[in-house]
Amino acid sequence: MAEEISINDLGRHASSTETAVRSSVERVLRSGWYILGKDGEAFEQDFAQYCGTNHCIGVANGTDAIELGLRALGIGAGSRVATVANAGLYTTTALMALGAEPVFVDVDHGTKLMDLAHLERIVSEGGLDAVVVTHLFGLLHDMEAVLEITARAGVPAFEDCAQSHGARRGGRRAGSFGTAASFSFYPTKNLGALGDGGAVVTDDPQVAQRVRRLRQYGWDSKYHASLRGGRNSRLDEIQAAILRAKLPLLDGWNGRRRDIATRYSREIIHPRVQCPPVYGEEFVSHLYVVVCDDREALRAHLAASSILTDVHYPVPDYRQPALADLGDRAGLPVTDDLAASILTLPCYPELSNEEVTRVISCITTW
Ligand SMILES: *Cc1c(COP(=O)(O)O)cnc(C)c1O
């Protein structure tokens, strides 16, 4: 049997960063300060600068980043927020926690991102309070076009950048376009911690201040709460120190991810497998997703050669049993179609050229 190629390999990733991570963890250990300290502040500064925003606020995870970021924009019970249904339920989970209502927008079959023509139709019906744009699989949406629509509607655009750290369009990074944006540092993300982590970035000082309060019980100073809706959602010092050490390596990892994606898109030639086009800096290839009319057969063929795949994501948000009471079960045609035909191939910086070649030849000989 050939050596297994897994869908991701965090062990390889950990060994490539072990020295830097070890010294960061030891420094925090010796500091005697573990929550909201110097490393957290330094990472917030570094990451804001990296994204090209004025503020970054570390929080406990990416879903909290969406929730607290939206709450800071005034989203709450009864708000109506446009979002896609193909992005793994994270934004919808945050909306449920806020008591807000998701208004699902279909996606474009090519980019798998929010269909802006459909968004325009929803916006024209009125009654929307915000739009969450998810840069899914690492592809930065056409934010100029998004902002034109949201500006006309007078609602804020919020970017979910959990899969798009570092993606760039016209020199601007993911997270610097919307009124505010969220990131996740879950271990598998393009920039990942060794545990949970997340952040909100924004240029708006008021939004930043509100997120800072919301992440810690609504406090404006110790034991004095001025803002309702507060939570405990903090990025701890060990994770912040690890992220600080890894941030300078992010662009290199993204470049390697993009190179692998480019090879797949150029070299996988099969009449039944649709690959994404070759993208530039706007794509950081968090996940490399192909479309196939017989996904299960292709998946089994790859598995027979010890190449593991996954589906991101198999169930549209509006078809999750947990949301059965949300009403409208009619579904969205492209979202439903893609959920049945997408397949994620292994694509991570530590994948070797030989492994990439094996994946390509396994598919082309299918
Ligand atoms: C991972 C992810 C999140 C949530 O991140 P967590 O840190 O796991 O809460 C949100 N949105 C998208 C698109 C994600 O991929």
mmCIF file with all atom_site columns, all heavy atoms in Angstrom, residues 61-64 66 87 90-91 134 136 160 162-163 184-186 189 196-197 286 313, ligand 1:
data_model
loop_
_atom_site.group_PDB
_atom_site.id
_atom_site.type_symbol
_atom_site.label_atom_id
_atom_site.label_alt_id
_atom_site.label_comp_id
_atom_site.label_asym_id
_atom_site.label_entity_id
_atom_site.label_seq_id
_atom_site.pdbx_PDB_ins_code
_atom_site.Cartn_x
_atom_site.Cartn_y
_atom_site.Cartn_z
_atom_site.occupancy
_atom_site.B_iso_or_equiv
_atom_site.pdbx_formal_charge
_atom_site.auth_seq_id
_atom_site.auth_comp_id
_atom_site.auth_asym_id
_atom_site.auth_atom_id
_atom_site.pdbx_PDB_model_num
ATOM   1   N N   . ASN A 1 61  ? -12.224 32.523 19.994 1.00 0.00 ? 61  ASN A N   1
ATOM   2   C CA  . ASN A 1 61  ? -12.324 31.678 18.793 1.00 0.00 ? 61  ASN A CA  1
ATOM   3   C C   . ASN A 1 61  ? -12.988 32.473 17.677 1.00 0.00 ? 61  ASN A C   1
ATOM   4   O O   . ASN A 1 61  ? -13.455 33.596 17.899 1.00 0.00 ? 61  ASN A O   1
ATOM   5   C CB  . ASN A 1 61  ? -13.119 30.384 19.110 1.00 0.00 ? 61  ASN A CB  1
ATOM   6   C CG  . ASN A 1 61  ? -14.509 30.679 19.615 1.00 0.00 ? 61  ASN A CG  1
ATOM   7   O OD1 . ASN A 1 61  ? -15.351 31.198 18.892 1.00 0.00 ? 61  ASN A OD1 1
ATOM   8   N ND2 . ASN A 1 61  ? -14.746 30.389 20.892 1.00 0.00 ? 61  ASN A ND2 1
ATOM   9   N N   . GLY A 1 62  ? -13.049 31.879 16.494 1.00 0.00 ? 62  GLY A N   1
ATOM   10  C CA  . GLY A 1 62  ? -13.561 32.592 15.330 1.00 0.00 ? 62  GLY A CA  1
ATOM   11  C C   . GLY A 1 62  ? -15.060 32.822 15.358 1.00 0.00 ? 62  GLY A C   1
ATOM   12  O O   . GLY A 1 62  ? -15.550 33.815 14.809 1.00 0.00 ? 62  GLY A O   1
ATOM   13  N N   . THR A 1 63  ? -15.792 31.907 15.989 1.00 0.00 ? 63  THR A N   1
ATOM   14  C CA  . THR A 1 63  ? -17.250 32.075 16.060 1.00 0.00 ? 63  THR A CA  1
ATOM   15  C C   . THR A 1 63  ? -17.595 33.214 17.023 1.00 0.00 ? 63  THR A C   1
ATOM   16  O O   . THR A 1 63  ? -18.481 34.032 16.737 1.00 0.00 ? 63  THR A O   1
ATOM   17  C CB  . THR A 1 63  ? -17.922 30.755 16.499 1.00 0.00 ? 63  THR A CB  1
ATOM   18  O OG1 . THR A 1 63  ? -17.417 29.698 15.679 1.00 0.00 ? 63  THR A OG1 1
ATOM   19  C CG2 . THR A 1 63  ? -19.425 30.825 16.340 1.00 0.00 ? 63  THR A CG2 1
ATOM   20  N N   . ASP A 1 64  ? -16.876 33.290 18.133 1.00 0.00 ? 64  ASP A N   1
ATOM   21  C CA  . ASP A 1 64  ? -17.049 34.433 19.043 1.00 0.00 ? 64  ASP A CA  1
ATOM   22  C C   . ASP A 1 64  ? -16.675 35.739 18.343 1.00 0.00 ? 64  ASP A C   1
ATOM   23  O O   . ASP A 1 64  ? -17.297 36.783 18.583 1.00 0.00 ? 64  ASP A O   1
ATOM   24  C CB  . ASP A 1 64  ? -16.154 34.291 20.286 1.00 0.00 ? 64  ASP A CB  1
ATOM   25  C CG  . ASP A 1 64  ? -16.744 33.343 21.331 1.00 0.00 ? 64  ASP A CG  1
ATOM   26  O OD1 . ASP A 1 64  ? -17.800 32.730 21.059 1.00 0.00 ? 64  ASP A OD1 1
ATOM   27  O OD2 . ASP A 1 64  ? -16.131 33.212 22.412 1.00 0.00 ? 64  ASP A OD2 1
ATOM   28  N N   . ILE A 1 66  ? -17.118 36.504 15.266 1.00 0.00 ? 66  ILE A N   1
ATOM   29  C CA  . ILE A 1 66  ? -18.277 36.927 14.463 1.00 0.00 ? 66  ILE A CA  1
ATOM   30  C C   . ILE A 1 66  ? -19.355 37.498 15.386 1.00 0.00 ? 66  ILE A C   1
ATOM   31  O O   . ILE A 1 66  ? -19.897 38.581 15.142 1.00 0.00 ? 66  ILE A O   1
ATOM   32  C CB  . ILE A 1 66  ? -18.854 35.743 13.649 1.00 0.00 ? 66  ILE A CB  1
ATOM   33  C CG1 . ILE A 1 66  ? -17.794 35.115 12.738 1.00 0.00 ? 66  ILE A CG1 1
ATOM   34  C CG2 . ILE A 1 66  ? -20.059 36.210 12.826 1.00 0.00 ? 66  ILE A CG2 1
ATOM   35  C CD1 . ILE A 1 66  ? -18.225 33.799 12.085 1.00 0.00 ? 66  ILE A CD1 1
ATOM   36  N N   . ALA A 1 87  ? -21.102 27.728 4.301  1.00 0.00 ? 87  ALA A N   1
ATOM   37  C CA  . ALA A 1 87  ? -19.823 28.003 4.963  1.00 0.00 ? 87  ALA A CA  1
ATOM   38  C C   . ALA A 1 87  ? -19.738 27.392 6.349  1.00 0.00 ? 87  ALA A C   1
ATOM   39  O O   . ALA A 1 87  ? -19.132 27.956 7.264  1.00 0.00 ? 87  ALA A O   1
ATOM   40  C CB  . ALA A 1 87  ? -19.571 29.510 5.007  1.00 0.00 ? 87  ALA A CB  1
ATOM   41  N N   . TYR A 1 90  ? -20.919 28.500 10.824 1.00 0.00 ? 90  TYR A N   1
ATOM   42  C CA  . TYR A 1 90  ? -20.290 29.329 11.864 1.00 0.00 ? 90  TYR A CA  1
ATOM   43  C C   . TYR A 1 90  ? -21.010 30.665 12.032 1.00 0.00 ? 90  TYR A C   1
ATOM   44  O O   . TYR A 1 90  ? -21.343 31.057 13.150 1.00 0.00 ? 90  TYR A O   1
ATOM   45  C CB  . TYR A 1 90  ? -18.814 29.559 11.542 1.00 0.00 ? 90  TYR A CB  1
ATOM   46  C CG  . TYR A 1 90  ? -18.066 28.272 11.314 1.00 0.00 ? 90  TYR A CG  1
ATOM   47  C CD1 . TYR A 1 90  ? -17.687 27.879 10.040 1.00 0.00 ? 90  TYR A CD1 1
ATOM   48  C CD2 . TYR A 1 90  ? -17.769 27.434 12.381 1.00 0.00 ? 90  TYR A CD2 1
ATOM   49  C CE1 . TYR A 1 90  ? -17.007 26.686 9.824  1.00 0.00 ? 90  TYR A CE1 1
ATOM   50  C CE2 . TYR A 1 90  ? -17.098 26.242 12.180 1.00 0.00 ? 90  TYR A CE2 1
ATOM   51  C CZ  . TYR A 1 90  ? -16.724 25.870 10.893 1.00 0.00 ? 90  TYR A CZ  1
ATOM   52  O OH  . TYR A 1 90  ? -16.071 24.694 10.695 1.00 0.00 ? 90  TYR A OH  1
ATOM   53  N N   . THR A 1 91  ? -21.222 31.384 10.930 1.00 0.00 ? 91  THR A N   1
ATOM   54  C CA  . THR A 1 91  ? -21.914 32.671 11.040 1.00 0.00 ? 91  THR A CA  1
ATOM   55  C C   . THR A 1 91  ? -23.328 32.464 11.554 1.00 0.00 ? 91  THR A C   1
ATOM   56  O O   . THR A 1 91  ? -23.814 33.220 12.408 1.00 0.00 ? 91  THR A O   1
ATOM   57  C CB  . THR A 1 91  ? -21.939 33.384 9.670  1.00 0.00 ? 91  THR A CB  1
ATOM   58  O OG1 . THR A 1 91  ? -20.605 33.762 9.346  1.00 0.00 ? 91  THR A OG1 1
ATOM   59  C CG2 . THR A 1 91  ? -22.810 34.625 9.695  1.00 0.00 ? 91  THR A CG2 1
ATOM   60  N N   . THR A 1 134 ? -18.344 35.788 3.585  1.00 0.00 ? 134 THR A N   1
ATOM   61  C CA  . THR A 1 134 ? -17.341 34.787 3.959  1.00 0.00 ? 134 THR A CA  1
ATOM   62  C C   . THR A 1 134 ? -16.408 34.550 2.775  1.00 0.00 ? 134 THR A C   1
ATOM   63  O O   . THR A 1 134 ? -16.866 34.171 1.696  1.00 0.00 ? 134 THR A O   1
ATOM   64  C CB  . THR A 1 134 ? -18.031 33.459 4.337  1.00 0.00 ? 134 THR A CB  1
ATOM   65  O OG1 . THR A 1 134 ? -18.988 33.719 5.363  1.00 0.00 ? 134 THR A OG1 1
ATOM   66  C CG2 . THR A 1 134 ? -17.016 32.436 4.828  1.00 0.00 ? 134 THR A CG2 1
ATOM   67  N N   . LEU A 1 136 ? -14.724 32.258 1.453  1.00 0.00 ? 136 LEU A N   1
ATOM   68  C CA  . LEU A 1 136 ? -14.663 30.803 1.636  1.00 0.00 ? 136 LEU A CA  1
ATOM   69  C C   . LEU A 1 136 ? -13.505 30.158 0.878  1.00 0.00 ? 136 LEU A C   1
ATOM   70  O O   . LEU A 1 136 ? -13.203 30.540 -0.251 1.00 0.00 ? 136 LEU A O   1
ATOM   71  C CB  . LEU A 1 136 ? -15.993 30.190 1.180  1.00 0.00 ? 136 LEU A CB  1
ATOM   72  C CG  . LEU A 1 136 ? -16.270 28.762 1.646  1.00 0.00 ? 136 LEU A CG  1
ATOM   73  C CD1 . LEU A 1 136 ? -16.463 28.700 3.160  1.00 0.00 ? 136 LEU A CD1 1
ATOM   74  C CD2 . LEU A 1 136 ? -17.483 28.184 0.936  1.00 0.00 ? 136 LEU A CD2 1
ATOM   75  N N   . ASP A 1 160 ? -16.010 37.597 7.149  1.00 0.00 ? 160 ASP A N   1
ATOM   76  C CA  . ASP A 1 160 ? -15.533 36.429 7.890  1.00 0.00 ? 160 ASP A CA  1
ATOM   77  C C   . ASP A 1 160 ? -14.286 35.921 7.170  1.00 0.00 ? 160 ASP A C   1
ATOM   78  O O   . ASP A 1 160 ? -14.364 35.347 6.083  1.00 0.00 ? 160 ASP A O   1
ATOM   79  C CB  . ASP A 1 160 ? -16.601 35.336 7.974  1.00 0.00 ? 160 ASP A CB  1
ATOM   80  C CG  . ASP A 1 160 ? -16.076 34.104 8.720  1.00 0.00 ? 160 ASP A CG  1
ATOM   81  O OD1 . ASP A 1 160 ? -14.945 34.152 9.249  1.00 0.00 ? 160 ASP A OD1 1
ATOM   82  O OD2 . ASP A 1 160 ? -16.802 33.094 8.777  1.00 0.00 ? 160 ASP A OD2 1
ATOM   83  N N   . ALA A 1 162 ? -12.007 33.714 8.375  1.00 0.00 ? 162 ALA A N   1
ATOM   84  C CA  . ALA A 1 162 ? -11.460 32.532 9.061  1.00 0.00 ? 162 ALA A CA  1
ATOM   85  C C   . ALA A 1 162 ? -10.689 31.612 8.111  1.00 0.00 ? 162 ALA A C   1
ATOM   86  O O   . ALA A 1 162 ? -9.894  30.791 8.563  1.00 0.00 ? 162 ALA A O   1
ATOM   87  C CB  . ALA A 1 162 ? -12.589 31.746 9.726  1.00 0.00 ? 162 ALA A CB  1
ATOM   88  N N   . GLN A 1 163 ? -10.934 31.753 6.793  1.00 0.00 ? 163 GLN A N   1
ATOM   89  C CA  . GLN A 1 163 ? -10.236 30.900 5.826  1.00 0.00 ? 163 GLN A CA  1
ATOM   90  C C   . GLN A 1 163 ? -9.363  31.724 4.880  1.00 0.00 ? 163 GLN A C   1
ATOM   91  O O   . GLN A 1 163 ? -8.889  31.189 3.879  1.00 0.00 ? 163 GLN A O   1
ATOM   92  C CB  . GLN A 1 163 ? -11.262 30.084 5.006  1.00 0.00 ? 163 GLN A CB  1
ATOM   93  C CG  . GLN A 1 163 ? -12.165 29.220 5.889  1.00 0.00 ? 163 GLN A CG  1
ATOM   94  C CD  . GLN A 1 163 ? -12.987 28.201 5.126  1.00 0.00 ? 163 GLN A CD  1
ATOM   95  O OE1 . GLN A 1 163 ? -12.968 28.160 3.893  1.00 0.00 ? 163 GLN A OE1 1
ATOM   96  N NE2 . GLN A 1 163 ? -13.716 27.349 5.836  1.00 0.00 ? 163 GLN A NE2 1
ATOM   97  N N   . SER A 1 184 ? -10.359 33.355 12.648 1.00 0.00 ? 184 SER A N   1
ATOM   98  C CA  . SER A 1 184 ? -10.205 32.217 13.549 1.00 0.00 ? 184 SER A CA  1
ATOM   99  C C   . SER A 1 184 ? -8.756  31.763 13.472 1.00 0.00 ? 184 SER A C   1
ATOM   100 O O   . SER A 1 184 ? -8.153  31.794 12.400 1.00 0.00 ? 184 SER A O   1
ATOM   101 C CB  . SER A 1 184 ? -11.120 31.069 13.117 1.00 0.00 ? 184 SER A CB  1
ATOM   102 O OG  . SER A 1 184 ? -10.726 29.856 13.771 1.00 0.00 ? 184 SER A OG  1
ATOM   103 N N   . PHE A 1 185 ? -8.219  31.349 14.618 1.00 0.00 ? 185 PHE A N   1
ATOM   104 C CA  . PHE A 1 185 ? -6.869  30.758 14.635 1.00 0.00 ? 185 PHE A CA  1
ATOM   105 C C   . PHE A 1 185 ? -6.926  29.301 15.082 1.00 0.00 ? 185 PHE A C   1
ATOM   106 O O   . PHE A 1 185 ? -5.999  28.787 15.705 1.00 0.00 ? 185 PHE A O   1
ATOM   107 C CB  . PHE A 1 185 ? -5.944  31.579 15.554 1.00 0.00 ? 185 PHE A CB  1
ATOM   108 C CG  . PHE A 1 185 ? -5.906  33.043 15.202 1.00 0.00 ? 185 PHE A CG  1
ATOM   109 C CD1 . PHE A 1 185 ? -6.359  33.998 16.105 1.00 0.00 ? 185 PHE A CD1 1
ATOM   110 C CD2 . PHE A 1 185 ? -5.455  33.466 13.960 1.00 0.00 ? 185 PHE A CD2 1
ATOM   111 C CE1 . PHE A 1 185 ? -6.347  35.351 15.793 1.00 0.00 ? 185 PHE A CE1 1
ATOM   112 C CE2 . PHE A 1 185 ? -5.441  34.820 13.627 1.00 0.00 ? 185 PHE A CE2 1
ATOM   113 C CZ  . PHE A 1 185 ? -5.883  35.766 14.545 1.00 0.00 ? 185 PHE A CZ  1
ATOM   114 N N   . TYR A 1 186 ? -8.040  28.638 14.771 1.00 0.00 ? 186 TYR A N   1
ATOM   115 C CA  . TYR A 1 186 ? -8.167  27.200 14.984 1.00 0.00 ? 186 TYR A CA  1
ATOM   116 C C   . TYR A 1 186 ? -6.945  26.530 14.333 1.00 0.00 ? 186 TYR A C   1
ATOM   117 O O   . TYR A 1 186 ? -6.454  27.016 13.304 1.00 0.00 ? 186 TYR A O   1
ATOM   118 C CB  . TYR A 1 186 ? -9.483  26.745 14.325 1.00 0.00 ? 186 TYR A CB  1
ATOM   119 C CG  . TYR A 1 186 ? -9.819  25.301 14.491 1.00 0.00 ? 186 TYR A CG  1
ATOM   120 C CD1 . TYR A 1 186 ? -10.362 24.834 15.686 1.00 0.00 ? 186 TYR A CD1 1
ATOM   121 C CD2 . TYR A 1 186 ? -9.612  24.393 13.455 1.00 0.00 ? 186 TYR A CD2 1
ATOM   122 C CE1 . TYR A 1 186 ? -10.676 23.492 15.837 1.00 0.00 ? 186 TYR A CE1 1
ATOM   123 C CE2 . TYR A 1 186 ? -9.928  23.052 13.592 1.00 0.00 ? 186 TYR A CE2 1
ATOM   124 C CZ  . TYR A 1 186 ? -10.460 22.603 14.800 1.00 0.00 ? 186 TYR A CZ  1
ATOM   125 O OH  . TYR A 1 186 ? -10.766 21.280 14.947 1.00 0.00 ? 186 TYR A OH  1
ATOM   126 N N   . LYS A 1 189 ? -6.309  26.381 10.468 1.00 0.00 ? 189 LYS A N   1
ATOM   127 C CA  . LYS A 1 189 ? -6.431  27.576 9.615  1.00 0.00 ? 189 LYS A CA  1
ATOM   128 C C   . LYS A 1 189 ? -5.062  27.980 9.057  1.00 0.00 ? 189 LYS A C   1
ATOM   129 O O   . LYS A 1 189 ? -4.031  27.547 9.557  1.00 0.00 ? 189 LYS A O   1
ATOM   130 C CB  . LYS A 1 189 ? -7.033  28.736 10.416 1.00 0.00 ? 189 LYS A CB  1
ATOM   131 C CG  . LYS A 1 189 ? -8.332  28.411 11.135 1.00 0.00 ? 189 LYS A CG  1
ATOM   132 C CD  . LYS A 1 189 ? -9.500  28.143 10.203 1.00 0.00 ? 189 LYS A CD  1
ATOM   133 C CE  . LYS A 1 189 ? -10.787 27.985 11.032 1.00 0.00 ? 189 LYS A CE  1
ATOM   134 N NZ  . LYS A 1 189 ? -11.941 27.573 10.232 1.00 0.00 ? 189 LYS A NZ  1
ATOM   135 N N   . ASP A 1 196 ? -7.759  26.932 20.614 1.00 0.00 ? 196 ASP A N   1
ATOM   136 C CA  . ASP A 1 196 ? -8.681  27.878 19.993 1.00 0.00 ? 196 ASP A CA  1
ATOM   137 C C   . ASP A 1 196 ? -8.149  29.304 20.074 1.00 0.00 ? 196 ASP A C   1
ATOM   138 O O   . ASP A 1 196 ? -7.395  29.643 20.988 1.00 0.00 ? 196 ASP A O   1
ATOM   139 C CB  . ASP A 1 196 ? -10.039 27.808 20.702 1.00 0.00 ? 196 ASP A CB  1
ATOM   140 C CG  . ASP A 1 196 ? -10.912 26.666 20.187 1.00 0.00 ? 196 ASP A CG  1
ATOM   141 O OD1 . ASP A 1 196 ? -11.040 26.550 18.949 1.00 0.00 ? 196 ASP A OD1 1
ATOM   142 O OD2 . ASP A 1 196 ? -11.451 25.907 20.999 1.00 0.00 ? 196 ASP A OD2 1
ATOM   143 N N   . GLY A 1 197 ? -8.579  30.118 19.137 1.00 0.00 ? 197 GLY A N   1
ATOM   144 C CA  . GLY A 1 197 ? -8.235  31.539 19.154 1.00 0.00 ? 197 GLY A CA  1
ATOM   145 C C   . GLY A 1 197 ? -8.991  32.248 18.053 1.00 0.00 ? 197 GLY A C   1
ATOM   146 O O   . GLY A 1 197 ? -9.450  31.616 17.095 1.00 0.00 ? 197 GLY A O   1
ATOM   147 N N   . HIS A 1 286 ? -6.960  27.998 1.365  1.00 0.00 ? 286 HIS A N   1
ATOM   148 C CA  . HIS A 1 286 ? -7.192  27.315 2.653  1.00 0.00 ? 286 HIS A CA  1
ATOM   149 C C   . HIS A 1 286 ? -7.679  25.890 2.400  1.00 0.00 ? 286 HIS A C   1
ATOM   150 O O   . HIS A 1 286 ? -7.221  24.937 3.031  1.00 0.00 ? 286 HIS A O   1
ATOM   151 C CB  . HIS A 1 286 ? -8.207  28.084 3.491  1.00 0.00 ? 286 HIS A CB  1
ATOM   152 C CG  . HIS A 1 286 ? -8.585  27.364 4.747  1.00 0.00 ? 286 HIS A CG  1
ATOM   153 N ND1 . HIS A 1 286 ? -7.663  27.097 5.744  1.00 0.00 ? 286 HIS A ND1 1
ATOM   154 C CD2 . HIS A 1 286 ? -9.757  26.815 5.164  1.00 0.00 ? 286 HIS A CD2 1
ATOM   155 C CE1 . HIS A 1 286 ? -8.274  26.420 6.721  1.00 0.00 ? 286 HIS A CE1 1
ATOM   156 N NE2 . HIS A 1 286 ? -9.528  26.229 6.384  1.00 0.00 ? 286 HIS A NE2 1
ATOM   157 N N   . TYR A 1 313 ? -18.905 22.012 2.646  1.00 0.00 ? 313 TYR A N   1
ATOM   158 C CA  . TYR A 1 313 ? -19.476 21.303 3.780  1.00 0.00 ? 313 TYR A CA  1
ATOM   159 C C   . TYR A 1 313 ? -20.659 20.496 3.263  1.00 0.00 ? 313 TYR A C   1
ATOM   160 O O   . TYR A 1 313 ? -21.323 20.956 2.320  1.00 0.00 ? 313 TYR A O   1
ATOM   161 C CB  . TYR A 1 313 ? -19.904 22.308 4.853  1.00 0.00 ? 313 TYR A CB  1
ATOM   162 C CG  . TYR A 1 313 ? -18.678 23.072 5.373  1.00 0.00 ? 313 TYR A CG  1
ATOM   163 C CD1 . TYR A 1 313 ? -18.272 24.251 4.774  1.00 0.00 ? 313 TYR A CD1 1
ATOM   164 C CD2 . TYR A 1 313 ? -17.912 22.561 6.432  1.00 0.00 ? 313 TYR A CD2 1
ATOM   165 C CE1 . TYR A 1 313 ? -17.133 24.928 5.221  1.00 0.00 ? 313 TYR A CE1 1
ATOM   166 C CE2 . TYR A 1 313 ? -16.784 23.255 6.890  1.00 0.00 ? 313 TYR A CE2 1
ATOM   167 C CZ  . TYR A 1 313 ? -16.410 24.425 6.274  1.00 0.00 ? 313 TYR A CZ  1
ATOM   168 O OH  . TYR A 1 313 ? -15.287 25.080 6.704  1.00 0.00 ? 313 TYR A OH  1
HETATM 169 C C1  . LIG B 2 .   ? -13.268 27.920 11.243 1.00 0.00 ? 1   LIG B C1  1
HETATM 170 C C2  . LIG B 2 .   ? -14.264 28.892 10.768 1.00 0.00 ? 1   LIG B C2  1
HETATM 171 C C3  . LIG B 2 .   ? -14.982 29.729 11.641 1.00 0.00 ? 1   LIG B C3  1
HETATM 172 C C4  . LIG B 2 .   ? -15.010 29.572 13.124 1.00 0.00 ? 1   LIG B C4  1
HETATM 173 O O1  . LIG B 2 .   ? -13.850 29.438 13.773 1.00 0.00 ? 1   LIG B O1  1
HETATM 174 P P1  . LIG B 2 .   ? -13.742 28.752 15.210 1.00 0.00 ? 1   LIG B P1  1
HETATM 175 O O2  . LIG B 2 .   ? -12.477 29.320 15.728 1.00 0.00 ? 1   LIG B O2  1
HETATM 176 O O3  . LIG B 2 .   ? -13.675 27.282 14.981 1.00 0.00 ? 1   LIG B O3  1
HETATM 177 O O4  . LIG B 2 .   ? -14.925 29.152 16.019 1.00 0.00 ? 1   LIG B O4  1
HETATM 178 C C5  . LIG B 2 .   ? -15.823 30.693 11.111 1.00 0.00 ? 1   LIG B C5  1
HETATM 179 N N1  . LIG B 2 .   ? -15.983 30.807 9.791  1.00 0.00 ? 1   LIG B N1  1
HETATM 180 C C6  . LIG B 2 .   ? -15.361 30.002 8.910  1.00 0.00 ? 1   LIG B C6  1
HETATM 181 C C7  . LIG B 2 .   ? -15.619 30.187 7.457  1.00 0.00 ? 1   LIG B C7  1
HETATM 182 C C8  . LIG B 2 .   ? -14.497 29.014 9.362  1.00 0.00 ? 1   LIG B C8  1
HETATM 183 O O5  . LIG B 2 .   ? -13.875 28.226 8.477  1.00 0.00 ? 1   LIG B O5  1
#
